[in-house]
Amino acid sequence: MLRVAARLGPRLGHRLLSAAATQAVPAPNQQPEVFCNQIFINNEWHDAVSRKTFPTVNPSTGEVICQVAEGDKALETLDNGKPYVISYLVDLDMVLKCLRYYAGWADKYHGKTIPIDGDFFSYTRHEPVGVCGQIIPWNFPLLMQAWKLGPALATGNVVVMKVAEQTPLTALYVANLIKEAGFPPGVVNIVPGFGPTAGAAVASHEGVDKVAFTGSTETGRLIQVAAGNSNLKRVTLELGGKSPNIIMSDADMDWAVEQAHFALFFNQGQCCCAGSRTFVQEDIYDEFVERSVARAKSRVVGNPFDSKTEQGPQVDETQFKKILGYINSGKQEGAKLLCGGGVAADRGYFIQPTVFGDVQDGMTIAKEEIFGPVMQILKFKTVEEVVGRANNSTYGLAAAVFTKDLDKANYLSQALQAGTVWVNCYDVFGAQSPFGGYKMSGSGRELGEYSLQAYTEVKTVTVKVPQKNS
Amino acid sequence: MATTNGAVENGQPDRKPPALPRPIRNLEVKFTKIFINNEWHESKSGKKFATYNPSTLEKICEVEEGDKPDVDKAVEAAQAAFQRGSPWRRLDALSRGRLLHQLADLVERDRATLAALETMDTGKPFLHAFFIDLEGCIRTLRYFAGWADKIQGKTIPTDDNVVCFTRHEPIGVCGAITPWNFPLLMLVWKMAPALCCGNTMVLKPAEQTPLTALYLGSLIKEVGFPPGVVNIVPGFGPTVGAAISSHPQINKIAFTGSTEVGKLVKEAASRSNLKRVTLELGGKNPCIVCADADLDLAVECAHQGVFFNQGQCCTAASRVFVEEQVYAEFVRRSVEYARKRPVGDPFDVKTEQGPQIDQKQFDKILELIESGKKEGAKLECGGSAVEDRGLFIKPTVFSEVTDNMRIAKEEIFGPVQPILKFKSIEEVIKRANSTDYGLTAAVFTKNLDKALKLASALESGTVWINCYNALYAQAPFGGFKMSGNGRELGEYALAEYTEVKTVTIKLGDKNP
């Protein structure tokens, strides 16, 4: 679980590395053969109707891997650039737990019998919604696939899934496993392709009953509009964030520094819930900044197949350029560049771990989602002030509080407008606990029992009876 | 594709029925000792007792005979395993579920062995043990494995400036005393929810049938449950059973057996430490056949309903009420069925009925049959033992039975079908309900209103409509009135193995 990674801190590197060293993590095949590169429909592989293919690129080298093809466990790292050790110990671990969790729900999502007025017997059936379109992103390809398939299939739906064009390989591998497991043909269908074509088609299809999307707020808007314009299909969205991480002066300093670092830099900064506004109480501000910079400078950037690497490349050239653009705006708008700020290698999409201090709320880097290894540290005085500033955002995905005080923890967790509030931790996920956004970070919840609701259509059945008795 | 396990199980292309399992007739019994802390112990007293095969009347083997000191030792182990900070208490809920799934995997692996042991010890047909008892065990384990990390408390909007939430905690050490009619299945019905909720256990299997419980102990150890989580003490009711019921450090007891003993268990529980009690007791279950029923279906269901498992089911359809218009035909077809029921060696695949469990039950059933004859019921077929040696009784049908006869009031627990006549729905509701029992009821009708009316009016924990013995891990099962307290199976079972703690935290004076 990410909690495992979270607890580790600098020990993250060490624990994972020693796991790799003692061969708890199998050695990666750095050049896996790819053979699943087609469209998966009815448990069979098809070429695109247009016969087109698209290249998928290895972000560590900038080279084309193939025209969409197959592989093994190293696939996620090859396609996305995330460190292999983390892909194995964190992503895959969470995928397994998510699938097993939802397997358990299949026969437990009860309807109710209801004491209605009159001589009637009333009950509800929890029926599947029907055909569910699912559009998933490139930052956690396998995990996002599991988060979507789990509740959809547990409640009896069928799925048409469009995978991100940057990272289609692992989802297609899983398609083969779906066939092997024995799901009837047609239950899961997977279509690799692009947003404006395949994605738009799913969002506006008259035969799709529900769409679930994870990605940018900008695209989320388009999905919701398309759903409304076509057949009013049900919509759930998991979008972007600019999550505040609030460090009170009584926090455990070592722990807070490590967690705040992890909160921003994990997955190359490519997390919807990244702690991208680190608010530090003024009494401890200077020391916190100094330690955070030291930590960022020690972050190991490199080949994701190397077990020593903590940070791989950004996923593609578009993201790479966009992040560098934000760094530039930070410099221009007067934030204090404390470390990093540039490219980290001469090929691929590597960026130096970057820290800005003295960030002000009005700066672009304090308002817009960067989705890269760029940390913003801001100063605050009082709890009331920081609540106002933290909530002053159209986003509301996650938030965190570091404090030892019971009352402050309660006050802040109640006040923050965020779908998840972490207290003295960050990025702790469990298949059991719901996750989702307030405001423009999304609608609906994934994970936990709550996710089942979005994949269920409630039917009320009311039967006349000769005489009702309680 | 290399492996098609999932594909075949999920109804894919293959479609061939699974091959019948081959029974292992003279199985070597490996586990005969007391199971505490994942280890096998001899009894403190040195005593052993014998367990017999009711088909052959031969001794199978000797088993360590536990008594109070062994129960004390088991409770100590269970308490230690339950301490805060222990491996079991620290385990993620998901991991508890995983262990239950792995236990199900091993039960599946050793299914034929367990079924053979069960048949040797109980006399039930091997195919029934394999396809019904063992299937139920596996499904129940997997169902509750899925619940482990879904046991959720609540956050509650109370008055005042506080945060209020509930924790659903395990109760602690749970005792379980299980019967001889479905030894392994009744054990799993208790073990699965208990462990899923995080409790530890001290179990006593019936003295007539200890073997499958002990084998399960070996699987629990193999899966890797921490030591002390499950402890098994074979022995007798007045010793081991009484010790468990009255132990001051056992927090909850679950008992399945006769109403008579159930009362003793509840008394002992109350007198000692007010431990929580759930009971699954006897039944005298009405099976109501309306004139508009699908008669073939009703006859078959009523027949299996009373004769299944040699009549030794708490759910036995032991009062068949038939509406007068179809009464004669129903009796005729039921007798035909009963005459054809194959009684014999439980390891023979053609057998549907084996021996009764022991001499005591055998004698009691024959006595009740005699009372039926004496009190004026009409003996349609059967009515005696199959031969002058052994514990086999002929499938017996009585018609013209009236409510005040002993065979209409007392639980027979044998292959005897009493058929009674009724005129109207209101009348049959009253008659069906005039008993202190209330475990199950069945209704055969095609009419919507009748079905819903009877379902609502019958005082039974389960009402079956146009079916019988339709039991599922997902659906709660238990008794009204003196057929029991509490429910097993389904989400409802979790409440019996959970202690709710409410936590209320005052908020600071500043309030957003």
Side-chain angles (χ1 to χ4, degrees):
Chain A
M1 285 174 63
L2 271 173
R3 183 176 72 217
V4 167
R7 206 168 47 228
L8 304 179
R11 304 185 234 116
L12 165 72
H14 299 170
R15 181 110 86 115
L16 288 177
L17 300 185
S18 64
T22 58
Q23 287 168 355
V25 177
N29 172 2
Q30 303 204 20
Q31 316 218 324
E33 262 189 85
V34 183
F35 71 73
C36 295
N37 61 350
Q38 294 173 292
I39 299 171
F40 183 76
I41 296 176
N42 269 334
N43 285 9
E44 291 161 351
W45 296 99
H46 300 263
D47 284 328
V49 169
S50 68
R51 305 224 150 259
K52 285 204 285 190
T53 59
F54 63 91
T56 184
V57 173
N58 179 343
S60 302
T61 61
E63 291 159 359
V64 170
I65 299 170
C66 64
Q67 297 290 333
V68 185
E70 103 147 328
D72 64 30
K73 29 176 134 46
L75 270 185
E76 193 83 314
T77 293
L78 194 68
D79 218 0
N80 165 287
K82 63 175 73 207
Y84 174 74
V85 168
I86 295 186
S87 178
Y88 187 89
L89 290 178
V90 177
D91 289 60
L92 265 300
D93 183 68
M94 292 180 70
V95 166
L96 292 171
K97 289 183 171 176
C98 177
L99 292 174
R100 292 202 167 114
Y101 176 78
Y102 281 106
W105 267 120
D107 57 358
K108 300 175 177 64
Y109 193 46
H110 306 133
K112 306 168 191 293
T113 59
I114 299 161
I116 193 176
D117 292 355
D119 286 327
F120 299 99
F121 169 53
S122 185
Y123 65 94
T124 53
R125 284 174 52 81
H126 284 186
E127 302 190 348
V129 170
V131 178
C132 298
Q134 303 185 319
I135 302 173
I136 59 173
W138 47 258
N139 60 342
F140 293 91
L142 270 177
L143 188 57
M144 294 298 101
Q145 182 186 44
W147 281 23
K148 301 255 175 314
L149 289 180
L153 299 178
T155 44
N157 294 284
V158 298
V159 168
V160 174
M161 176 176 279
K162 176 211 154 321
V163 299
E165 56 272 25
Q166 299 89 337
T167 55
L169 303 181
T170 45
L172 293 174
Y173 186 94
V174 168
N176 230 18
L177 299 180
I178 285 168
K179 176 173 178 173
E180 193 179 329
F183 283 88
V187 170
V188 179
N189 306 280
I190 304 190
V191 182
F194 291 83
T197 45
V202 168
S204 56
H205 202 289
E206 298 287 335
V208 169
D209 302 292
K210 175 233 168 22
V211 65
F213 169 79
T214 298
S216 69
T217 296
E218 179 192 346
T219 307
R221 263 203 168 103
L222 298 175
I223 303 267
Q224 191 152 317
V225 166
N229 273 341
S230 52
N231 66 342
L232 280 178
K233 55 176 65 59
R234 291 98 178 82
V235 179
T236 51
L237 305 169
E238 293 279 352
L239 308 175
K242 193 70 184 177
S243 302
N245 185 6
I246 299 168
I247 319 289
M248 305 300 294
S249 55
D250 72 338
D252 175 339
M253 174 69 79
D254 277 334
W255 179 247
V257 166
E258 187 51 41
Q259 287 297 293
H261 175 82
F262 171 70
L264 188 291
F265 288 99
F266 181 65
N267 206 45
Q268 293 68 250
Q270 298 165 151
C271 288
C272 47
C273 54
S276 48
R277 286 184 291 156
T278 309
F279 288 97
V280 183
Q281 201 158 28
E282 59 179 2
D283 296 352
I284 55 164
Y285 179 83
D286 291 333
E287 190 184 348
F288 188 93
V289 169
E290 193 185 316
R291 292 201 202 195
S292 298
V293 169
R295 180 62 183 95
K297 280 180 173 160
S298 76
R299 190 170 185 76
V300 179
V301 182
N303 175 2
F305 283 106
D306 183 338
S307 61
K308 289 192 294 308
T309 296
E310 293 180 272
Q311 180 178 314
Q314 307 312 122
V315 80
D316 64 13
E317 192 177 1
T318 309
Q319 288 298 311
F320 179 73
K321 287 189 168 140
K322 184 170 160 203
I323 297 161
L324 292 174
Y326 278 117
I327 292 175
N328 218 32
S329 85
K331 292 176 192 165
Q332 290 190 338
E333 292 179 1
K336 199 158 139 203
L337 179 67
L338 299 168
C339 70
V343 171
D346 54 11
R347 71 174 193 150
Y349 310 121
F350 296 85
I351 295 182
Q352 292 172 327
T354 299
V355 180
F356 280 107
D358 295 349
V359 175
Q360 305 301 316
D361 291 359
M363 293 175 182
T364 306
I365 56 171
K367 295 198 298 194
E368 294 185 22
E369 190 178 38
I370 301 173
F371 232 62
V374 183
M375 185 178 201
Q376 285 64 240
I377 310 186
L378 305 90
K379 192 189 295 188
F380 76 94
K381 277 192 169 60
T382 70
V383 164
E384 291 82 358
E385 170 209 337
V386 79
V387 163
R389 290 168 63 190
N391 285 341
N392 184 20
S393 166
T394 52
Y395 289 119
L397 188 54
V401 178
F402 285 81
T403 180
K404 290 186 181 127
D405 185 85
L406 176 63
D407 285 346
K408 284 192 195 123
N410 275 329
Y411 181 93
L412 283 160
S413 51
Q414 298 215 347
L416 290 164
Q417 290 165 352
T420 298
V421 178
W422 286 299
V423 180
N424 293 331
C425 58
Y426 209 94
D427 275 344
V428 175
F429 286 88
Q432 305 89 354
S433 286
F435 180 82
Y438 278 41
K439 304 191 272 189
M440 293 185 80
S441 284
S443 51
R445 292 291 175 271
E446 294 195 293
L447 300 183
E449 181 179 6
Y450 295 74
S451 63
L452 301 176
Q453 209 179 343
Y455 287 95
T456 294
E457 199 71 52
V458 177
K459 172 186 286 173
T460 302
V461 179
T462 301
V463 183
K464 179 153 177 7
V465 296
Q467 184 197 83
K468 179 203 63 199
N469 284 269
S470 62
Chain B
M1 265 302 121
T3 161
T4 55
N5 266 341
V8 169
E9 277 166 18
N10 292 313
Q12 288 290 290
D14 200 292
R15 284 185 205 291
K16 287 200 292 260
L20 286 184
R22 250 174 304 121
I24 310 157
R25 278 174 183 276
N26 290 308
L27 198 58
E28 187 210 332
V29 179
K30 287 195 263 195
F31 305 105
T32 59
K33 295 192 183 176
I34 297 172
F35 184 73
I36 296 177
N37 269 330
N38 285 4
E39 289 161 358
W40 300 101
H41 299 262
E42 280 161 15
S43 64
K44 292 241 186 226
S45 66
K47 289 206 288 188
K48 296 196 220 290
F49 68 99
T51 184
Y52 296 89
N53 181 334
S55 317
T56 61
L57 300 176
E58 284 162 8
K59 179 167 91 170
I60 302 172
C61 65
E62 297 210 315
V63 171
E64 295 296 319
E65 183 182 335
D67 204 323
K68 187 170 179 320
D70 307 285
V71 171
D72 286 341
K73 193 160 142 200
V75 173
E76 261 175 52
Q79 272 189 304
F82 191 71
Q83 282 305 296
R84 282 182 59 77
S86 73
W88 184 239
R89 293 301 294 275
R90 297 279 296 123
L91 205 58
D92 285 337
L94 185 69
S95 304
R96 286 204 304 265
R98 194 92 182 89
L99 287 172
L100 283 170
H101 264 302
Q102 287 166 338
L103 183 60
D105 290 342
L106 293 187
V107 169
E108 243 177 330
R109 179 194 70 187
D110 294 350
R111 189 171 180 165
T113 303
L114 282 162
L117 271 178
E118 199 79 303
T119 294
M120 280 163 61
D121 223 359
T122 64
K124 69 175 68 207
F126 174 79
L127 289 184
H128 292 187
F130 189 94
F131 284 113
I132 299 173
D133 297 57
L134 267 298
E135 182 71 23
C137 288
I138 293 161
R139 289 190 187 210
T140 302
L141 285 168
R142 295 205 191 285
Y143 176 77
F144 284 103
W147 265 122
D149 60 353
K150 300 171 181 64
I151 298 168
Q152 298 168 154
K154 304 171 191 290
T155 61
I156 299 164
T158 59
D159 298 352
D160 289 351
N161 209 26
V162 297
V163 161
C164 181
F165 61 91
T166 52
R167 284 175 50 84
H168 284 197
E169 302 189 349
I171 304 179
V173 179
C174 296
I177 299 175
T178 50
W180 47 257
N181 59 344
F182 293 90
L184 192 62
L185 185 59
M186 292 300 100
L187 184 60
V188 168
W189 278 21
K190 290 160 187 49
M191 182 186 285
L195 297 182
C196 145
C197 294
N199 297 284
T200 59
M201 302 192 81
V202 174
L203 313 167
K204 173 199 163 308
E207 57 271 23
Q208 296 90 336
T209 54
L211 301 182
T212 44
L214 295 175
Y215 192 98
L216 192 68
S218 77
L219 298 182
I220 282 163
K221 178 177 175 158
E222 189 181 337
V223 164
F225 281 88
V229 171
V230 177
N231 307 279
I232 307 173
V233 184
F236 291 81
T239 47
V240 177
I244 292 175
S245 307
S246 57
H247 202 292
Q249 268 82 51
I250 289 182
N251 307 102
K252 178 243 166 36
I253 184 163
F255 169 79
T256 297
S258 68
T259 296
E260 179 195 345
V261 176
K263 286 165 93 173
L264 298 175
V265 169
K266 191 164 181 178
E267 269 180 79
S270 310
R271 203 168 280 135
S272 52
N273 65 340
L274 281 176
K275 56 176 65 61
R276 291 99 180 84
V277 178
T278 49
L279 305 170
E280 293 280 350
L281 308 176
K284 192 66 184 174
N285 310 296
C287 177
I288 298 167
V289 181
C290 300
D292 71 338
D294 172 340
L295 206 62
D296 275 333
L297 176 69
V299 166
E300 183 180 357
C301 284
H303 172 84
Q304 294 297 352
V306 77
F307 290 107
F308 177 61
N309 209 45
Q310 295 67 252
Q312 299 165 153
C313 291
C314 47
T315 63
S318 50
R319 283 185 295 158
V320 185
F321 291 96
V322 184
E323 199 165 4
E324 58 179 1
Q325 296 95 303
V326 295
Y327 177 83
E329 185 57 20
F330 183 92
V331 170
R332 191 189 68 74
R333 294 194 205 184
S334 298
V335 170
E336 208 177 293
Y337 245 100
R339 287 207 170 107
K340 287 192 303 205
R341 191 172 183 78
V343 181
D345 171 11
F347 279 108
D348 184 339
V349 305
K350 288 190 298 314
T351 297
E352 294 230 2
Q353 181 178 317
Q356 305 312 122
I357 186 73
D358 61 18
Q359 191 69 42
K360 182 164 159 219
Q361 287 297 312
F362 178 83
D363 290 341
K364 178 177 162 201
I365 297 159
L366 287 178
E367 199 243 327
L368 277 158
I369 289 175
E370 288 311 307
S371 83
K373 294 174 191 168
K374 277 204 201 72
E375 291 180 340
K378 181 168 170 212
L379 180 68
E380 297 275 352
C381 69
S384 60
V386 167
E387 52 190 32
D388 53 12
R389 189 197 90 94
L391 301 171
F392 296 82
I393 296 180
K394 291 185 189 149
T396 299
V397 179
F398 280 107
S399 64
E400 321 273 321
V401 177
T402 56
D403 291 2
N404 55 345
M405 294 176 185
R406 284 183 65 202
I407 56 172
K409 294 197 298 193
E410 293 173 37
E411 191 178 37
I412 303 173
F413 234 61
V416 181
Q417 182 181 46
I419 309 181
L420 305 87
K421 193 188 293 185
F422 76 92
K423 276 191 167 59
S424 77
I425 293 293
E426 282 306 328
E427 168 211 337
V428 80
I429 290 173
K430 277 207 190 64
R431 291 168 64 191
N433 285 341
S434 55
T435 165
D436 287 331
Y437 288 120
L439 191 56
T440 66
V443 176
F444 289 86
T445 178
K446 289 189 182 129
N447 182 278
L448 176 63
D449 282 350
K450 254 184 229 167
L452 290 179
K453 177 172 189 166
L454 284 160
S456 148
L458 290 164
E459 291 161 6
S460 307
T462 298
V463 179
W464 287 307
I465 305 200
N466 296 332
C467 56
Y468 209 91
N469 275 340
L471 290 165
Y472 308 102
Q474 301 92 353
F477 179 84
F480 276 39
K481 303 190 274 188
M482 292 184 79
S483 282
N485 294 156
R487 292 292 175 270
E488 295 196 290
L489 302 182
E491 182 179 10
Y492 296 73
L494 302 176
E496 315 285 6
Y497 287 96
T498 295
E499 197 73 52
V500 177
K501 173 186 287 176
T502 303
V503 179
T504 303
I505 304 178
K506 181 164 173 356
L507 288 172
D509 293 324
K510 283 196 289 256
N511 189 24

CSV table of all heavy atoms in Angstrom, one decimal, chain A residues 113-123 460-465 467-470:
chain,number,residue,atom,x,y,z
A,113,THR,N,-35.7,-4.2,2.6
A,113,THR,CA,-37.2,-4.3,2.6
A,113,THR,C,-37.6,-3.1,3.5
A,113,THR,O,-36.9,-2.9,4.5
A,113,THR,CB,-37.7,-5.6,3.2
A,113,THR,OG1,-37.2,-5.8,4.5
A,113,THR,CG2,-37.2,-6.8,2.3
A,114,ILE,N,-38.6,-2.4,3.2
A,114,ILE,CA,-38.9,-1.1,3.7
A,114,ILE,C,-40.3,-1.0,4.3
A,114,ILE,O,-41.3,-1.4,3.7
A,114,ILE,CB,-38.7,-0.1,2.6
A,114,ILE,CG1,-37.2,-0.1,2.2
A,114,ILE,CG2,-39.0,1.3,3.1
A,114,ILE,CD1,-37.0,0.5,0.8
A,115,PRO,N,-40.5,-0.5,5.5
A,115,PRO,CA,-41.8,-0.4,6.2
A,115,PRO,C,-42.6,0.8,5.7
A,115,PRO,O,-42.8,1.8,6.3
A,115,PRO,CB,-41.4,-0.2,7.7
A,115,PRO,CG,-40.1,0.5,7.7
A,115,PRO,CD,-39.4,0.0,6.4
A,116,ILE,N,-43.1,0.7,4.5
A,116,ILE,CA,-43.9,1.7,3.8
A,116,ILE,C,-45.3,1.8,4.4
A,116,ILE,O,-45.8,0.8,5.0
A,116,ILE,CB,-43.9,1.4,2.3
A,116,ILE,CG1,-44.4,2.6,1.5
A,116,ILE,CG2,-44.8,0.2,2.0
A,116,ILE,CD1,-44.4,2.4,0.0
A,117,ASP,N,-45.9,2.9,4.3
A,117,ASP,CA,-47.3,3.1,4.8
A,117,ASP,C,-48.3,2.2,3.9
A,117,ASP,O,-48.0,2.0,2.7
A,117,ASP,CB,-47.8,4.5,4.7
A,117,ASP,CG,-47.1,5.4,5.6
A,117,ASP,OD1,-46.3,4.9,6.5
A,117,ASP,OD2,-47.3,6.7,5.5
A,118,GLY,N,-49.4,1.8,4.5
A,118,GLY,CA,-50.4,1.1,3.7
A,118,GLY,C,-50.2,-0.4,3.6
A,118,GLY,O,-49.2,-0.9,4.0
A,119,ASP,N,-51.1,-1.0,2.9
A,119,ASP,CA,-51.1,-2.5,2.7
A,119,ASP,C,-50.2,-2.8,1.6
A,119,ASP,O,-50.6,-3.4,0.6
A,119,ASP,CB,-52.5,-3.0,2.5
A,119,ASP,CG,-53.3,-3.0,3.8
A,119,ASP,OD1,-52.6,-3.2,4.9
A,119,ASP,OD2,-54.5,-2.9,3.8
A,120,PHE,N,-48.9,-2.6,1.8
A,120,PHE,CA,-47.9,-2.8,0.7
A,120,PHE,C,-46.7,-3.4,1.3
A,120,PHE,O,-46.3,-3.2,2.4
A,120,PHE,CB,-47.6,-1.5,0.0
A,120,PHE,CG,-48.7,-0.8,-0.6
A,120,PHE,CD1,-49.4,0.2,0.0
A,120,PHE,CD2,-49.2,-1.2,-1.9
A,120,PHE,CE1,-50.5,0.8,-0.6
A,120,PHE,CE2,-50.3,-0.6,-2.4
A,120,PHE,CZ,-51.0,0.4,-1.8
A,121,PHE,N,-46.0,-4.2,0.4
A,121,PHE,CA,-44.7,-4.7,0.7
A,121,PHE,C,-43.7,-4.1,-0.2
A,121,PHE,O,-43.9,-4.2,-1.4
A,121,PHE,CB,-44.7,-6.3,0.5
A,121,PHE,CG,-43.4,-6.9,0.6
A,121,PHE,CD1,-42.5,-6.7,1.7
A,121,PHE,CD2,-43.0,-7.7,-0.4
A,121,PHE,CE1,-41.3,-7.3,1.7
A,121,PHE,CE2,-41.7,-8.3,-0.4
A,121,PHE,CZ,-40.9,-8.1,0.7
A,122,SER,N,-42.8,-3.4,0.3
A,122,SER,CA,-41.9,-2.6,-0.5
A,122,SER,C,-40.4,-3.0,-0.3
A,122,SER,O,-40.0,-3.2,0.8
A,122,SER,CB,-42.0,-1.1,-0.2
A,122,SER,OG,-41.3,-0.3,-1.1
A,123,TYR,N,-39.7,-3.1,-1.4
A,123,TYR,CA,-38.3,-3.5,-1.2
A,123,TYR,C,-37.5,-2.9,-2.4
A,123,TYR,O,-38.0,-2.5,-3.4
A,123,TYR,CB,-38.1,-5.0,-1.1
A,123,TYR,CG,-38.4,-5.8,-2.3
A,123,TYR,CD1,-37.5,-6.1,-3.3
A,123,TYR,CD2,-39.7,-6.3,-2.5
A,123,TYR,CE1,-37.8,-6.9,-4.4
A,123,TYR,CE2,-40.1,-7.0,-3.6
A,123,TYR,CZ,-39.1,-7.3,-4.6
A,123,TYR,OH,-39.5,-8.1,-5.7
A,460,THR,N,-37.1,0.2,-6.9
A,460,THR,CA,-38.0,-0.1,-5.8
A,460,THR,C,-39.2,-0.9,-6.4
A,460,THR,O,-39.7,-0.6,-7.4
A,460,THR,CB,-38.6,1.3,-5.3
A,460,THR,OG1,-37.5,2.1,-4.9
A,460,THR,CG2,-39.6,1.0,-4.1
A,461,VAL,N,-39.5,-2.0,-5.6
A,461,VAL,CA,-40.6,-2.8,-6.0
A,461,VAL,C,-41.6,-2.7,-4.9
A,461,VAL,O,-41.3,-2.9,-3.7
A,461,VAL,CB,-40.2,-4.3,-6.1
A,461,VAL,CG1,-41.4,-5.2,-6.5
A,461,VAL,CG2,-39.1,-4.5,-7.2
A,462,THR,N,-42.9,-2.4,-5.2
A,462,THR,CA,-43.9,-2.2,-4.2
A,462,THR,C,-45.1,-3.1,-4.6
A,462,THR,O,-45.6,-2.9,-5.7
A,462,THR,CB,-44.3,-0.8,-4.1
A,462,THR,OG1,-43.2,0.0,-3.7
A,462,THR,CG2,-45.4,-0.6,-3.0
A,463,VAL,N,-45.4,-4.1,-3.7
A,463,VAL,CA,-46.4,-5.1,-4.0
A,463,VAL,C,-47.6,-4.9,-3.1
A,463,VAL,O,-47.4,-4.8,-1.9
A,463,VAL,CB,-45.8,-6.5,-3.8
A,463,VAL,CG1,-46.9,-7.6,-4.1
A,463,VAL,CG2,-44.5,-6.7,-4.5
A,464,LYS,N,-48.8,-4.9,-3.7
A,464,LYS,CA,-50.0,-4.8,-2.8
A,464,LYS,C,-50.2,-6.1,-2.1
A,464,LYS,O,-50.0,-7.2,-2.7
A,464,LYS,CB,-51.2,-4.5,-3.7
A,464,LYS,CG,-52.5,-4.4,-2.9
A,464,LYS,CD,-53.5,-3.6,-3.5
A,464,LYS,CE,-54.8,-3.5,-2.7
A,464,LYS,NZ,-54.8,-4.2,-1.4
A,465,VAL,N,-50.5,-6.0,-0.8
A,465,VAL,CA,-50.7,-7.2,0.0
A,465,VAL,C,-52.1,-7.1,0.6
A,465,VAL,O,-52.6,-6.0,0.9
A,465,VAL,CB,-49.7,-7.5,1.1
A,465,VAL,CG1,-48.3,-7.8,0.5
A,465,VAL,CG2,-49.6,-6.4,2.1
A,467,GLN,N,-53.2,-7.7,3.6
A,467,GLN,CA,-53.2,-7.0,4.9
A,467,GLN,C,-51.8,-6.9,5.4
A,467,GLN,O,-51.1,-7.9,5.6
A,467,GLN,CB,-54.1,-7.8,5.9
A,467,GLN,CG,-54.2,-7.1,7.3
A,467,GLN,CD,-54.7,-8.0,8.4
A,467,GLN,OE1,-53.9,-8.8,9.0
A,467,GLN,NE2,-56.0,-8.0,8.6
A,468,LYS,N,-51.3,-5.7,5.6
A,468,LYS,CA,-49.9,-5.6,6.1
A,468,LYS,C,-49.9,-5.7,7.6
A,468,LYS,O,-50.7,-5.1,8.3
A,468,LYS,CB,-49.4,-4.2,5.7
A,468,LYS,CG,-47.9,-4.1,6.2
A,468,LYS,CD,-47.5,-2.6,6.3
A,468,LYS,CE,-48.2,-1.8,7.3
A,468,LYS,NZ,-48.0,-0.4,7.0
A,469,ASN,N,-49.0,-6.5,8.1
A,469,ASN,CA,-48.7,-6.5,9.6
A,469,ASN,C,-47.2,-6.2,9.8
A,469,ASN,O,-46.4,-6.6,9.0
A,469,ASN,CB,-49.0,-7.9,10.1
A,469,ASN,CG,-50.5,-8.1,10.3
A,469,ASN,OD1,-51.0,-7.9,11.3
A,469,ASN,ND2,-51.1,-8.7,9.3
A,470,SER,N,-46.9,-5.6,10.9
A,470,SER,CA,-45.4,-5.2,11.1
A,470,SER,C,-44.6,-6.5,11.4
A,470,SER,O,-45.2,-7.5,11.6
A,470,SER,CB,-45.3,-4.3,12.3
A,470,SER,OG,-45.8,-4.9,13.4
